[in-house]
Amino acid sequence: KREAFLSTYTAIDSNFKDIYGRLTRGWGKLVLEMPEDPFAGGLTFEVHPQDKDVRRLNMMSGGEKSLVTLAFIFSIQRHMPAPFYGLDEVDMHLDGSNVEGIAHMIRSLSETSQFIAISLRKPMIQGADRIIGVTIRPDKSTLVTGVKCNA
Amino acid sequence: KREAFLSTYTAIDSNFKDIYGRLTRGWGKLVLEMPEDPFAGGLTFEVHPQDKDVRRLNMMSGGEKSLVTLAFIFSIQRHMPAPFYGLDEVDMHLDGSNVEGIAHMIRSLSETSQFIAISLRKPMIQGADRIIGVTIRPDKSTLVTGVKCNA
Amino acid sequence: MHITLLEIDNFKSFGRKTKIPLETGFTVISGPNGSGKSNILDSILFALGITSARGLRAERLTDLINTGSNKNTAEVHVSFSDGTRITRRIKRTANGYYSYNYLNGRLCKQGDVLAFLANHGIKPQGYNIVMQGDVARIMEMSDFERRKIIDEIA
Amino acid sequence: MHITLLEIDNFKSFGRKTKIPLETGFTVISGPNGSGKSNILDSILFALGITSARGLRAERLTDLINTGSNKNTAEVHVSFSDGTRITRRIKRTANGYYSYNYLNGRLCKQGDVLAFLANHGIKPQGYNIVMQGDVARIMEMSDFERRKIIDEIA
Ligand SMILES: Nc1ncnc2c1ncn2[C@@H]1O[C@H](COP(=O)(O)OP(=O)(O)OP(=O)(O)O)[C@@H](O)[C@H]1O
Ligand SMILES: Nc1ncnc2c1ncn2[C@@H]1O[C@H](COP(=O)(O)OP(=O)(O)OP(=O)(O)O)[C@@H](O)[C@H]1O
Ligand SMILES: [Mg+2]
Ligand SMILES: [Mg+2]
């Protein structure tokens, strides 16, 4: 059981180092509180967003925390490949430049998997291959409007 | 004690009806679970965002819930006037048109009180009287750049 | 493999039968608050049976039936690029509901659908669908809960 | 009344003494993630003494001293339009810290500062400062906790 945990952990950690490094001008890794006995402790991150000093997760800014978490999610997804991915407003806390970075990463991942992302942010919408518009009809039912092709 | 609660509740409810009505093409009000004995129950909302049917708060969309909550906060602020207000990224879940609505409301409230709002969203930035830019220096310390005057 | 078509009928805010063709690559869905974007993702989760009613922001499955129309059923079809078409239908009854699962038009058990999906890497405890608020939830977790995420995957 | 000037020295990410003049009306602060925007609001809360260290995302007050420089003090001055200037300074010591409060340059107790603020409608349990994540927190509250908000105001 410990073996299974550690091999999964190592794989996701290695994904995280790559993905987090690409999303931010910095680097980071996963950290086990109790490496000897993982189940006795928790899992946290040691990250250097934009090459800053390491700080506890709760001392980081909202956007920095969100980027770490998103990189963690992407690391798990890379470990368990699926034919399609759905992302609902994952760019909420990010500034425009970080949204672009996420859109860029999704774009390259989407060469091998189908990605459907819901977003209200311009850089995400602009990074996609196509846009599906969703609005409300006067009778309050959902209207899905034509698919716009991007770029 | 019950008197004090009910008079505060009534004042904030009346603020909420006005503010929520202005922020959304719809209407709403506060609801006490136990009007006879307020302290035995909770406080929830009965809202019709964009004239839709009433739904429980947890069945509404992220943006709709956020707008209800923001209207609630503004209702409390109107009840306890202060010389200045600080808002940190309150527009996170809102679509562009709702961000404009919030910016518009803050603009009119700011005629009598000082408002300092942190935001990453264009419609909020465009609705302000001036912009203070914040960036990071190469040594990782904060740099506050000139104040741009708007409009 | 990818999803080629979504057909959503009387599910949540989809009062009128709606067809959404989907392609490979990177598709973005956008529109005003409350228009039905998250409901599209909910319809996929509902059809594939990989979330409970609570995960779809409903207290019971019958909440998923559109309230604007007077019908008592809601139906979602998900078609994949390998030709498979998965359907799920709920029907409100006097004292509850029925839930029907179909593989390529033939009535089947929910387990059959889950088995098909598992063969293609789609599991209920997977992270291929990140719902609105999941990032904030994982961000605010205790270190212990976060490690448990790895436990479940291993 | 309004805030006319913020002076932030060695507090959180403000490694260099920074002056921020403020005016009436509607001011927006923007910039990249992690640049220090929320820290500006934190500096006001710190100087006015209306939040604990935890409300400023610090485990103890000494975490608020800039880590980039080698100084052991952090200082914030808030000037108001009626001429009042409130200052708060923390100084790291061998086994903790000292916290100093000043009204118009003269050493005073934190209670004096809070009394001045209360006269102008600024209270620690007030809602005039909405921090990052407060909307989401209140949104996800139970109905009971939400009613307690009214209790505290009444
Ligand atoms: N059974 C139902 N019948 C009719 N409408 C429903 C039903 N269930 C949910 N809705 C409506 O669907 C809307 C929510 O849709 P959804 O969550 O998809 O919005 P969204 O586009 O994701 O918005 P946001 O950008 O705010 O997240 C709500 O207004 C809700 O009232
Ligand atoms: N004592 C300290 N010394 C130096 N830097 C610090 C200190 N405390 C916090 N910081 C840094 O301040 C930064 C956070 O600033 P802040 O929360 O103001 O960002 P922000 O501009 O609000 O970002 P966001 O848009 O993501 O919310 C973090 O990168 C953190 O490392
Ligand atoms: Mg949504
Ligand atoms: Mg911030």
Side-chain angles (χ1 to χ4, degrees):
Chain A
K1 180 175 173 219
R2 185 163 168 275
E3 291 309 311
F5 177 92
L6 284 175
S7 78
T8 304
Y9 172 80
T10 313
I12 293 178
D13 180 39
S14 135
N15 293 343
F16 182 82
K17 285 179 172 113
D18 173 43
I19 290 170
Y20 187 73
R22 280 202 268 154
L23 287 179
T24 173
R25 268 154 294 142
W27 55 278
K29 59 175 183 166
L30 301 183
V31 168
L32 281 171
E33 273 180 348
M34 310 283 252
E36 307 308 318
D37 180 12
F39 302 108
L43 166 71
T44 187
F45 307 96
E46 186 194 302
V47 290
H48 301 253
Q50 299 173 310
D51 275 337
K52 292 181 191 175
D53 293 335
V54 170
R55 248 173 259 296
R56 268 178 299 268
L57 198 67
N58 47 18
M59 275 184 69
M60 293 167 64
S61 83
E64 289 171 336
K65 286 199 293 191
S66 177
L67 207 59
V68 170
T69 308
L70 209 35
F72 182 52
I73 291 172
F74 283 148
S75 307
I76 294 170
Q77 289 181 344
R78 184 183 288 186
H79 183 69
M80 310 167 68
F84 75 93
Y85 294 91
L87 306 172
D88 197 343
E89 290 195 42
V90 297
D91 48 27
M92 236 189 260
H93 305 97
L94 305 177
D95 63 46
S97 141
N98 275 326
V99 176
E100 272 182 47
I102 297 290
H104 188 74
M105 170 160 285
I106 294 175
R107 186 138 207 178
S108 68
L109 292 171
S110 69
E111 286 169 15
T112 50
S113 291
Q114 178 183 42
F115 270 84
I116 301 162
I118 296 170
S119 177
L120 304 174
R121 308 292 298 278
K122 275 217 168 63
M124 186 68 91
I125 295 170
Q126 288 171 341
D129 297 324
R130 67 197 70 86
I131 308 164
I132 293 176
V134 181
T135 49
I136 301 183
R137 288 197 188 91
D139 72 0
K140 313 302 168 215
S141 65
T142 294
L143 169 65
V144 177
T145 69
V147 180
K148 277 203 212 69
C149 280
N150 237 357
Chain B
K1 179 173 171 216
R2 184 164 167 274
E3 290 311 310
F5 177 91
L6 284 174
S7 79
T8 304
Y9 171 80
T10 313
I12 293 177
D13 180 39
S14 134
N15 293 341
F16 182 82
K17 287 178 172 111
D18 173 44
I19 290 170
Y20 186 73
R22 280 203 269 152
L23 287 178
T24 173
R25 267 154 296 143
W27 55 278
K29 57 175 182 161
L30 301 182
V31 169
L32 281 171
E33 271 180 349
M34 308 284 249
E36 305 310 316
D37 179 13
F39 304 107
L43 167 71
T44 186
F45 307 95
E46 185 193 303
V47 292
H48 301 253
Q50 298 173 312
D51 276 337
K52 291 180 191 174
D53 294 335
V54 170
R55 248 173 260 296
R56 268 179 300 267
L57 199 67
N58 47 19
M59 275 183 70
M60 293 165 66
S61 82
E64 288 170 337
K65 285 198 295 191
S66 177
L67 208 58
V68 171
T69 309
L70 208 36
F72 182 53
I73 291 171
F74 283 148
S75 308
I76 294 171
Q77 288 181 345
R78 184 183 288 186
H79 182 68
M80 311 167 69
F84 73 94
Y85 294 92
L87 307 172
D88 196 343
E89 290 196 43
V90 296
D91 48 25
M92 237 188 259
H93 304 97
L94 306 178
D95 63 44
S97 142
N98 275 326
V99 176
E100 272 182 48
I102 297 291
H104 188 75
M105 169 162 284
I106 293 175
R107 185 136 208 179
S108 70
L109 293 171
S110 70
E111 286 169 15
T112 51
S113 290
Q114 179 183 42
F115 270 84
I116 301 162
I118 297 170
S119 177
L120 303 174
R121 309 291 298 278
K122 277 216 167 61
M124 185 69 90
I125 294 169
Q126 287 171 341
D129 297 324
R130 67 196 71 87
I131 309 165
I132 294 177
V134 181
T135 49
I136 301 183
R137 289 195 187 91
D139 71 0
K140 312 300 169 219
S141 65
T142 293
L143 170 65
V144 177
T145 69
V147 179
K148 277 205 212 67
C149 282
N150 238 356
Chain C
M1 181 165 96
H2 61 276
I3 298 175
T4 51
L5 182 67
L6 267 188
E7 296 164 87
I8 312 175
D9 190 2
N10 216 40
F11 176 86
K12 296 191 101 180
S13 59
F14 287 82
R16 302 192 203 180
K17 188 161 156 77
T18 303
K19 290 194 179 195
I20 306 176
L22 292 166
E23 313 207 23
T24 51
F26 180 11
T27 302
V28 90
I29 296 174
S30 199
N33 293 131
S35 54
K37 308 179 293 295
S38 298
N39 289 346
I40 292 174
L41 240 41
D42 290 345
S43 74
I44 296 174
L45 291 166
F46 164 76
L48 304 189
I50 44 182
T51 326
S52 64
R54 194 145 158 276
L56 302 173
R57 289 171 293 153
E59 291 198 357
R60 50 192 80 93
L61 284 184
T62 42
D63 291 340
L64 301 172
I65 300 171
N66 181 270
T67 55
S69 70
N70 288 321
K71 298 193 242 155
N72 278 321
T73 55
E75 198 169 75
V76 177
H77 311 265
V78 180
S79 304
F80 290 90
S81 53
D82 70 347
T84 311
R85 188 175 185 246
I86 292 173
T87 302
R88 187 174 179 193
R89 180 154 68 94
I90 46 162
K91 178 177 182 167
R92 179 166 26 225
T93 63
N95 38 12
Y97 65 84
Y98 286 132
S99 169
Y100 303 95
N101 295 285
Y102 303 82
L103 256 177
N104 295 325
R106 292 219 304 287
L107 208 56
C108 67
K109 296 197 234 75
Q110 185 166 58
D112 302 328
V113 176
L114 292 174
F116 166 82
L117 294 171
N119 282 337
H120 292 272
I122 301 165
K123 302 181 186 114
Q125 65 275 33
Y127 280 79
N128 69 309
I129 298 203
V130 184
M131 314 208 61
Q132 201 163 353
D134 274 355
V135 175
R137 184 176 53 83
I138 297 173
M139 206 154 99
E140 300 301 328
M141 270 183 181
S142 72
D143 295 347
F144 223 81
E145 293 171 296
R146 206 173 294 125
R147 196 221 66 233
K148 286 202 165 148
I149 292 180
I150 311 273
D151 296 355
E152 291 170 10
I153 298 168
Chain D
M1 183 167 93
H2 61 276
I3 299 175
T4 52
L5 182 67
L6 267 187
E7 297 163 86
I8 312 174
D9 189 3
N10 216 40
F11 176 86
K12 296 191 99 179
S13 58
F14 287 83
R16 301 192 204 179
K17 189 163 156 78
T18 303
K19 289 193 177 194
I20 305 176
L22 291 166
E23 313 206 23
T24 52
F26 180 11
T27 303
V28 91
I29 297 174
S30 199
N33 292 131
S35 53
K37 308 181 293 293
S38 299
N39 289 347
I40 292 174
L41 241 41
D42 290 346
S43 73
I44 297 174
L45 292 166
F46 165 76
L48 304 188
I50 46 182
T51 326
S52 64
R54 195 148 158 272
L56 303 174
R57 289 171 293 154
E59 290 198 358
R60 49 191 83 91
L61 284 184
T62 42
D63 291 341
L64 301 172
I65 301 171
N66 181 271
T67 55
S69 70
N70 287 321
K71 297 193 243 158
N72 278 321
T73 56
E75 199 170 73
V76 177
H77 311 265
V78 180
S79 303
F80 290 90
S81 53
D82 71 346
T84 311
R85 188 173 185 250
I86 292 173
T87 302
R88 187 173 179 194
R89 180 153 70 91
I90 46 161
K91 177 177 182 166
R92 178 165 28 224
T93 63
N95 38 10
Y97 66 85
Y98 285 132
S99 170
Y100 304 96
N101 295 285
Y102 302 83
L103 257 176
N104 296 324
R106 290 219 306 287
L107 209 56
C108 66
K109 294 198 234 73
Q110 185 166 57
D112 302 328
V113 175
L114 292 175
F116 167 81
L117 294 171
N119 283 338
H120 292 273
I122 301 165
K123 300 180 188 116
Q125 65 274 37
Y127 280 78
N128 69 311
I129 298 202
V130 184
M131 315 208 60
Q132 201 164 353
D134 274 356
V135 175
R137 184 176 52 83
I138 296 172
M139 206 154 100
E140 300 301 329
M141 270 183 179
S142 71
D143 295 347
F144 224 81
E145 293 171 297
R146 207 174 292 127
R147 196 220 67 231
K148 287 199 166 154
I149 292 180
I150 311 276
D151 297 355
E152 291 172 8
I153 298 168

